[in-house]
Amino acid sequence: MGGGAREGEEVAKGMDRRRRREVLEEVVAGGCCEGSRVREGDLKPMDAEQLRENAHKMVDFIADYYKNIENFPVLSQVQPGYLRKLLPDSAPNRPESLQDVLDDVQAKIFPGVTHWQSPDYFAYYPSNSSIAGFLGEMLSAGINMVGFSWITSPAATELEMIVLDWLAKLLKLPDYFFSTGQGGGVIQGTASEAVLVVLLAARDKVLRRVGKDAIGKLVVYASDQTHSALQKACQIGGIHPENCRLLKTDSSTDYALSPELLNEAISHDVAVGLIPFFLCATVGTTSSTAVDPLLALGKITKSNGMWFHVDAAYAGSACICPEFRHYIDGIEEADSFNMNAHKWFLTNFDCSVLWVKDRNALIQSLLNKSRVSKKQTFVPRNTYHSASEANMVVDYKDWQIPLGRRFRSLKLWMVLRLYGLENLQCYLRNHIQLAKHFEELVSQDSRFKVVAPRKFSLVCFCVLPPCDKEDCANKLNRDLLDAVNSTGKLFISHTVLSGKYTLRFAVGAPLTEERHVNEAWKVLQDKASALLQSL
Amino acid sequence: MGGGAREGEEVAKGMDRRRRREVLEEVVAGGCCEGSRVREGDLKPMDAEQLRENAHKMVDFIADYYKNIENFPVLSQVQPGYLRKLLPDSAPNRPESLQDVLDDVQAKIFPGVTHWQSPDYFAYYPSNSSIAGFLGEMLSAGINMVGFSWITSPAATELEMIVLDWLAKLLKLPDYFFSTGQGGGVIQGTASEAVLVVLLAARDKVLRRVGKDAIGKLVVYASDQTHSALQKACQIGGIHPENCRLLKTDSSTDYALSPELLNEAISHDVAVGLIPFFLCATVGTTSSTAVDPLLALGKITKSNGMWFHVDAAYAGSACICPEFRHYIDGIEEADSFNMNAHKWFLTNFDCSVLWVKDRNALIQSLLNKSRVSKKQTFVPRNTYHSASEANMVVDYKDWQIPLGRRFRSLKLWMVLRLYGLENLQCYLRNHIQLAKHFEELVSQDSRFKVVAPRKFSLVCFCVLPPCDKEDCANKLNRDLLDAVNSTGKLFISHTVLSGKYTLRFAVGAPLTEERHVNEAWKVLQDKASALLQSL
């Protein structure tokens, strides 16, 4: 507490409560903190030259991080609760220096970081940083506006519309996903939010028809390979968990959803009086990059009046290459389509791109109804109202869960411009090529097996137990995963396919080269040898 | 499309579809894009030295922006659709230079930006950028990890727990909001997400008791001054709109919610078989900084077994000053408490801090149930499992709507350390002092009137029409708002209080000094004179 506040408390003693507060406030405000002056040498809240000086320091710190990134254990090796032991238990009263903070980042934070940008990171799916993406984040943080509606920064809304039209063009999406028609694109934070908002739009659309008390009859469909975000969206939206059909897949379809199974499930549900309303198909599942057959599935949804959402969070990026575009053939049947530019498209997290065919369906579910005006919270009229009446203005707050939103289109715009289509295609093809190389390495070692077809940059594989010990297969693979990850030399993750513990090797970090794949494979071989010998 | 792809298409002609694709993929991957090599001079996806060079340029660009920020019109003056005319309709094939992009930002983007960081910005509520907040954003974008669970970067989860405990201590929150107990803090994107997640937790808690088919009976309460995010949360969560009670307020309580009215409404609803389950109180409403009486309201919720949420999105920051802490007296009755560090606490958007008393209630609603493991998606065991079993590990994905999350605690940590408590208090007091100064200016001009008591840094006021023209009061104030905003010299917004169009002057931009307030007032006086003369 400042000296002024203490002084005020003295002065205010003996007064009644309300008067005490007033005096306290008075003395404090006029006392220790005249104007916005801070002590000589203290960092000001904002100051162009102090910003310049300190941000240059931060640039060097971050560039050095990338220079040395291979020296860190990829997967953090700390124990839970490690950080509390290293940091004080209160915020400081007086300012500390940037150097103090950076020293702490180096000594205390970095050991607890799992380095997603390491070239030896092969876990989950990638989460690309890039020079362009990073610069876009900087610029967005510099401008730091909150673009909830058009007027709060027209450039933020309009650049988003334009850039998502650019990307839709690269993906050869149907016309109705472009902002020039009834639909359009919007940047969500994550694929979880994307599936949630379209589920809500679909829910409310059907409830307007059948009445809101029928919510218990609504049924959602997807394969059992679908990301858990769908179930979470159902839970949030009040869809009964027993009405969430996760249809079984197996290796006979490479873990893709079978249209026949979907048809059967829908017929059965309709027969018992339930209301099918939503299908989530996936192009590139989280487990094994399975691709659901969009065209066949889309026809079924259409004939049943259902909303058809396509989740291509990871694999969507690859579809800017003509040779991979066929994986989204049938997208013209979809009501919504999602890909995460923050996964494998060099755009820093978060940037999940959602296109919808009918933007009004979204808005009808997600409109922020203001007390002040039916259309807008606190919006000045000048240029705005005439435009709004002409329906030329998009307010993205009504397309998403949160009200506020960052200027995220800047980073995607910078990625597209600073790399250009050709280099982006090369970037994706290179990872796919490296994954193919890894797949070949696995195939050449008879102790290992590739367990699902590689389509993009993910290889699903396992180490095989000796013939007489097949029941230990899951344990063996789990032990192998733990063994390689605890070296810190690489980080891979796992999945379960047809009940089998399966290792995943996902290529996709911006710095990964062939030598990293080769070294990772060597660690895997060495650790497998040791484990197999100890059996 | 690269030359390799075109070549591949030639080669592949005449083959069957599947074989064609394979050949195409083969040729393309081996052709234009060997390795990750890009042409000489092109920006690489990631490279420490290219990052350093370009990010230094970006730092200077952003520092220059702040140096010149007073030269921009605060409120963007562009017409809807302006940007599409200025940008190409496709992404480029080949890379462009950073200089080209920065030139476009200057010439095409900045005119469409509403400059929230301008010292002449007095609209809505502030959205603080700061040197520390900006540096934190840079570092977070540099590390670019996705901290959905503890293992994906233990430091991200643990720093968030520690920093929110620090902040809870500064706010003197009750023990059960600290991470050391059954509750804890979590950074959400926005206050809208904060109220949504606690509403869902409360909904599911009561539905577990009364059965999920009773959802149509659940009733939510708040004042009519509550942010529209509450109604949106109800809509998302399937609470029937007619069960969302927005209780009337007026100037007799300074627009605060009356405990008597709440009691009456609850009694009435219980009597007709409805189930009251949630109250959202506000400390510092969006319209006029009204403060609901937490202690009295909290006792009512407790005796009715309801969840009590306190939204202090804007005003919460001020409560780190002892002389303002009394505004959250009664917080010990709350189940959850929210303040936006990104509003008035120098932490760049987004950073909305939510504390809950019972974290399990959140988790029971928001758990991402994985197909792979009941507890986790793809989590390696090594250090993790033993810890998880000991319940020492927090997975923040289960406390929020999205799965992925940025390393947002870094910026809040840097704000707290680089400024320290004393300077943060000074910062807040200075804005309050400036608002008080503005209030005095308004009071001294008999043509104007202050229309609601100033508590923090917002002044609600209006210009008075001549006695014989009282019916034009709303139009006059709307015209004044438009007139001052279209000068570009300042930006203010409005609200409606008791049916009256009311101007809002919110001090809170980091660069605002007394001279900016004085100049803004002069513009307001000049424009009011002109309007009053023309009547």
Side-chain angles (χ1 to χ4, degrees):
Chain A
M1 192 199 299
R6 276 193 298 274
E7 185 191 333
E9 281 184 350
E10 284 305 309
V11 173
K13 263 185 193 166
M15 296 175 178
D16 74 42
R17 203 173 166 223
R18 182 168 183 158
R19 182 62 197 139
R20 273 198 70 204
R21 272 181 205 149
E22 282 171 9
V23 169
L24 192 59
E25 183 176 339
E26 198 82 29
V27 175
V28 164
C32 75
C33 318
E34 288 174 45
S36 60
R37 284 188 285 277
V38 289
R39 289 191 215 174
E40 190 67 29
D42 283 3
L43 199 65
K44 292 179 196 163
M46 180 49 77
D47 173 273
E49 296 315 317
Q50 282 189 336
L51 175 74
R52 193 188 309 271
E53 185 194 334
N54 286 285
H56 279 310
K57 266 187 211 156
M58 185 59 92
V59 167
D60 286 324
F61 184 83
I62 293 169
D64 290 344
Y65 169 65
Y66 278 97
K67 210 163 102 182
N68 300 314
I69 198 164
E70 293 188 46
N71 301 333
F72 294 100
V74 191
L75 175 65
S76 171
Q77 307 285 319
V78 299
Q79 295 295 315
Y82 90 101
L83 191 57
R84 200 172 284 267
K85 295 172 198 149
L86 301 175
L87 295 183
D89 63 0
S90 303
N93 279 316
R94 294 278 309 140
E96 299 181 72
S97 75
L98 178 59
Q99 194 55 53
D100 284 346
V101 172
L102 293 180
D103 289 347
D104 275 358
V105 172
Q106 198 76 50
K108 299 170 185 172
I109 301 295
F110 278 165
V113 169
T114 292
H115 300 275
W116 288 63
Q117 304 312 317
S118 165
D120 302 311
Y121 180 97
F122 303 102
Y124 313 114
Y125 277 131
S127 175
N128 284 180
S129 181
S130 70
I131 299 171
F134 177 75
L135 296 173
E137 282 286 9
M138 279 180 73
L139 187 55
S140 168
I143 296 173
N144 198 49
M145 60 88 234
V146 185
F148 53 87
S149 63
W150 182 85
I151 193 67
T152 62
S153 262
T157 298
E158 297 199 7
L159 187 65
E160 186 160 329
M161 294 166 74
I162 292 166
V163 169
L164 298 192
D165 282 350
W166 284 10
L167 190 51
K169 211 165 170 178
L170 298 185
L171 291 164
K172 300 195 190 347
L173 296 186
D175 288 348
Y176 43 71
F177 283 142
F178 286 70
S179 68
T180 40
Q182 296 303 306
V186 56
I187 299 177
Q188 303 282 334
T190 59
S192 312
E193 287 161 274
V195 73
L196 173 59
V197 296
V198 296
L199 183 90
L200 295 172
R203 177 198 70 179
D204 293 346
K205 197 175 163 184
V206 67
L207 289 182
R208 281 192 293 274
R209 187 162 50 80
V210 300
K212 59 183 185 282
D213 290 327
I215 192 167
K217 291 184 180 172
L218 302 190
V219 190
V220 168
Y221 304 82
S223 90
D224 60 1
Q225 300 294 308
T226 306
H227 194 280
S228 61
L230 176 67
Q231 281 171 277
K232 183 163 170 172
C234 289
Q235 167 74 15
I236 291 168
I239 306 301
H240 290 189
E242 66 271 23
N243 290 351
C244 192
R245 308 258 173 279
L246 299 183
L247 303 170
K248 205 169 148 40
T249 61
D250 59 34
S251 61
S252 71
T253 60
D254 295 343
Y255 301 97
L257 176 58
S258 145
E260 292 72 35
L261 267 190
L262 176 66
N263 244 333
E264 278 170 33
I266 291 175
S267 303
H268 178 265
D269 287 328
V270 170
V272 298
L274 296 175
I275 307 169
F277 84 107
F278 191 85
L279 171 68
C280 176
T282 308
V283 174
T285 56
T286 312
S287 269
S288 67
T289 67
V291 175
D292 292 336
L294 303 191
L295 193 60
L297 296 172
K299 295 212 177 297
I300 297 171
T301 59
K302 197 161 271 179
S303 67
N304 286 279
M306 294 161 63
W307 186 291
F308 182 29
H309 177 63
V310 176
D311 169 0
Y314 155 73
S317 299
C319 300
I320 67 161
C321 300
E323 70 275 23
F324 298 112
R325 172 58 178 75
H326 66 91
Y327 286 115
I328 55 168
D329 282 356
I331 191 64
E332 58 280 4
E333 304 291 328
D335 294 284
S336 48
F337 176 68
N338 173 230
M339 74 156 255
N340 285 351
H342 63 236
K343 273 200 164 65
W344 191 22
F345 205 68
L346 292 171
T347 312
N348 285 43
F349 186 83
D350 50 357
C351 186
S352 178
V353 182
L354 172 70
W355 287 273
V356 293
K357 193 171 171 175
D358 173 14
R359 59 176 172 253
N360 281 327
L362 266 193
I363 295 168
Q364 284 181 280
S365 277
L366 298 169
L367 183 69
N368 262 80
K369 292 174 195 105
S370 162
R371 207 176 50 77
V372 171
S373 125
K374 262 168 202 147
K375 181 151 172 51
Q376 277 304 137
T377 316
F378 307 131
V379 169
R381 287 186 315 161
N382 38 359
T383 59
Y384 185 81
H385 267 218
S386 61
S388 171
E389 283 149 18
N391 205 18
M392 285 174 62
V393 162
V394 163
D395 290 328
Y396 273 129
K397 70 182 173 57
D398 304 326
W399 299 47
Q400 62 175 20
I401 302 295
L403 176 66
R405 57 204 321 271
R406 298 160 67 230
F407 200 160
R408 288 186 287 216
S409 55
L410 276 176
K411 58 186 169 184
L412 184 53
W413 184 53
M414 290 182 70
V415 163
L416 289 167
R417 292 188 64 180
L418 294 183
Y419 297 120
L421 173 60
E422 284 178 20
N423 282 349
L424 287 166
Q425 288 172 332
C426 286
Y427 175 73
L428 296 157
R429 286 168 181 151
N430 177 50
H431 285 151
I432 292 166
Q433 200 56 26
L434 291 177
K436 198 165 183 173
H437 172 63
F438 182 82
E439 185 185 30
E440 284 160 8
L441 294 173
V442 174
S443 308
Q444 284 158 18
D445 187 330
S446 61
R447 300 170 304 169
F448 288 86
K449 189 184 159 194
V450 174
V451 299
R454 184 202 53 77
K455 291 190 180 70
F456 304 100
S457 69
L458 171 73
V459 180
C460 290
F461 68 108
C462 64
V463 58
L464 302 166
C467 298
D468 56 337
K469 292 178 178 167
E470 277 181 7
D471 54 346
C472 78
N474 284 357
K475 182 179 182 307
L476 176 65
N477 278 282
R478 197 158 49 220
D479 289 347
L480 179 57
L481 180 107
D482 287 350
V484 298
N485 285 344
S486 61
T487 65
K489 288 182 186 167
L490 72 157
F491 178 26
I492 61 170
S493 55
H494 80 283
T495 185
V496 175
L497 288 173
S498 300
K500 287 185 181 146
Y501 195 97
T502 301
L503 305 177
R504 291 170 80 266
F505 189 89
V507 182
L511 287 165
T512 302
E513 298 173 15
E514 192 172 313
R515 67 184 169 93
H516 302 106
V517 174
N518 291 338
E519 284 159 23
W521 174 238
K522 196 170 173 316
V523 175
L524 276 157
Q525 282 185 311
D526 289 351
K527 292 293 173 187
S529 298
L531 282 169
L532 288 168
Q533 268 172 10
S534 72
L535 281 181
Chain B
M1 193 200 302
R6 277 193 299 274
E7 187 192 332
E9 281 183 352
E10 282 307 308
V11 173
K13 262 183 196 165
M15 295 176 177
D16 75 42
R17 204 173 165 222
R18 181 166 181 158
R19 181 66 196 135
R20 273 198 71 204
R21 272 181 204 149
E22 284 171 5
V23 169
L24 192 58
E25 182 176 339
E26 199 81 31
V27 175
V28 164
C32 73
C33 319
E34 287 175 46
S36 59
R37 283 189 286 277
V38 290
R39 289 192 215 172
E40 189 67 29
D42 283 4
L43 198 65
K44 291 179 194 163
M46 182 48 77
D47 173 272
E49 297 314 318
Q50 282 189 337
L51 175 73
R52 194 188 307 271
E53 185 192 335
N54 286 284
H56 279 309
K57 268 188 209 155
M58 185 59 91
V59 167
D60 285 324
F61 185 83
I62 293 168
D64 289 345
Y65 169 66
Y66 277 97
K67 209 163 105 184
N68 299 313
I69 198 163
E70 293 188 45
N71 301 333
F72 295 101
V74 191
L75 175 66
S76 171
Q77 307 285 319
V78 299
Q79 296 293 316
Y82 89 101
L83 191 57
R84 201 173 285 269
K85 295 171 196 151
L86 302 175
L87 295 183
D89 63 0
S90 302
N93 279 316
R94 293 278 309 139
E96 298 179 73
S97 74
L98 177 59
Q99 193 55 53
D100 285 346
V101 173
L102 293 180
D103 289 347
D104 275 358
V105 172
Q106 196 77 49
K108 299 169 185 171
I109 301 296
F110 278 163
V113 169
T114 292
H115 300 275
W116 289 62
Q117 303 313 316
S118 165
D120 302 311
Y121 180 97
F122 303 101
Y124 313 113
Y125 277 132
S127 175
N128 284 179
S129 181
S130 70
I131 299 171
F134 177 76
L135 296 173
E137 281 286 9
M138 279 181 73
L139 186 55
S140 168
I143 297 173
N144 199 49
M145 60 88 235
V146 186
F148 53 86
S149 62
W150 181 86
I151 193 68
T152 63
S153 262
T157 298
E158 298 198 7
L159 187 65
E160 189 160 328
M161 294 166 74
I162 292 165
V163 169
L164 298 192
D165 282 350
W166 284 10
L167 190 50
K169 210 164 169 179
L170 298 185
L171 290 164
K172 301 196 191 342
L173 296 185
D175 288 348
Y176 44 72
F177 284 142
F178 286 70
S179 69
T180 39
Q182 297 302 305
V186 56
I187 298 177
Q188 304 281 332
T190 59
S192 313
E193 288 161 273
V195 72
L196 173 59
V197 297
V198 296
L199 183 90
L200 296 170
R203 178 198 70 180
D204 293 347
K205 196 174 163 185
V206 65
L207 289 181
R208 279 192 294 274
R209 186 161 50 82
V210 299
K212 60 183 184 282
D213 290 326
I215 192 166
K217 293 185 182 171
L218 302 190
V219 190
V220 168
Y221 304 82
S223 91
D224 60 1
Q225 300 295 309
T226 306
H227 194 280
S228 61
L230 175 68
Q231 282 171 277
K232 184 162 170 173
C234 288
Q235 168 73 17
I236 291 168
I239 306 301
H240 291 189
E242 66 270 23
N243 290 351
C244 192
R245 309 257 172 278
L246 300 182
L247 304 171
K248 206 168 147 38
T249 60
D250 59 35
S251 60
S252 73
T253 60
D254 296 344
Y255 300 98
L257 176 56
S258 144
E260 291 71 36
L261 268 188
L262 177 66
N263 244 333
E264 279 169 33
I266 290 175
S267 302
H268 178 265
D269 287 329
V270 170
V272 298
L274 296 174
I275 306 169
F277 83 108
F278 190 85
L279 170 69
C280 176
T282 308
V283 173
T285 57
T286 312
S287 270
S288 67
T289 66
V291 175
D292 291 336
L294 303 191
L295 192 62
L297 296 171
K299 296 213 175 297
I300 297 171
T301 59
K302 196 161 272 180
S303 66
N304 287 279
M306 295 161 64
W307 187 292
F308 182 30
H309 177 62
V310 176
D311 169 0
Y314 154 72
S317 299
C319 300
I320 66 160
C321 301
E323 70 275 25
F324 297 113
R325 172 57 177 76
H326 66 91
Y327 285 115
I328 54 168
D329 282 356
I331 192 64
E332 59 279 5
E333 303 292 327
D335 294 285
S336 48
F337 176 68
N338 174 229
M339 74 156 255
N340 285 351
H342 63 237
K343 273 199 166 64
W344 191 23
F345 205 68
L346 293 171
T347 312
N348 284 43
F349 186 82
D350 50 358
C351 186
S352 178
V353 181
L354 172 69
W355 287 272
V356 292
K357 193 170 169 175
D358 172 16
R359 59 177 174 254
N360 280 326
L362 268 191
I363 295 167
Q364 283 182 283
S365 275
L366 298 169
L367 183 70
N368 261 79
K369 292 175 194 102
S370 161
R371 206 177 50 77
V372 171
S373 123
K374 260 165 205 153
K375 179 147 173 53
Q376 278 301 138
T377 317
F378 307 134
V379 170
R381 287 186 316 159
N382 35 0
T383 60
Y384 186 78
H385 266 219
S386 60
S388 172
E389 285 150 18
N391 204 20
M392 284 175 64
V393 162
V394 163
D395 289 329
Y396 274 129
K397 69 182 174 57
D398 303 326
W399 298 48
Q400 60 173 22
I401 303 296
L403 177 64
R405 57 204 323 271
R406 299 161 66 230
F407 200 160
R408 288 185 289 214
S409 55
L410 276 177
K411 57 186 170 185
L412 185 52
W413 183 53
M414 289 180 72
V415 163
L416 289 168
R417 291 190 63 180
L418 294 182
Y419 297 120
L421 173 60
E422 284 179 21
N423 283 348
L424 287 166
Q425 290 173 331
C426 285
Y427 176 73
L428 295 157
R429 287 168 181 154
N430 177 49
H431 285 151
I432 292 167
Q433 198 57 24
L434 290 177
K436 197 162 184 178
H437 173 62
F438 182 81
E439 186 186 31
E440 284 160 7
L441 294 173
V442 175
S443 308
Q444 285 157 16
D445 187 331
S446 60
R447 301 169 305 168
F448 288 86
K449 189 184 159 194
V450 174
V451 300
R454 182 203 54 76
K455 290 192 182 68
F456 304 100
S457 70
L458 171 72
V459 180
C460 289
F461 69 108
C462 64
V463 58
L464 301 167
C467 296
D468 57 335
K469 291 178 176 165
E470 278 182 4
D471 55 344
C472 77
N474 283 357
K475 182 177 181 309
L476 176 64
N477 279 282
R478 197 158 50 221
D479 289 347
L480 179 56
L481 181 105
D482 287 350
V484 298
N485 285 344
S486 61
T487 63
K489 289 182 186 167
L490 71 159
F491 179 26
I492 60 169
S493 55
H494 80 283
T495 186
V496 175
L497 287 174
S498 300
K500 286 184 183 149
Y501 194 96
T502 302
L503 304 177
R504 292 171 79 265
F505 189 89
V507 181
L511 286 165
T512 303
E513 298 173 15
E514 192 172 313
R515 67 184 169 94
H516 301 105
V517 174
N518 290 336
E519 285 158 24
W521 174 238
K522 194 168 174 319
V523 175
L524 276 157
Q525 281 184 310
D526 289 351
K527 292 293 173 187
S529 297
L531 282 169
L532 288 168
Q533 269 171 12
S534 71
L535 281 181

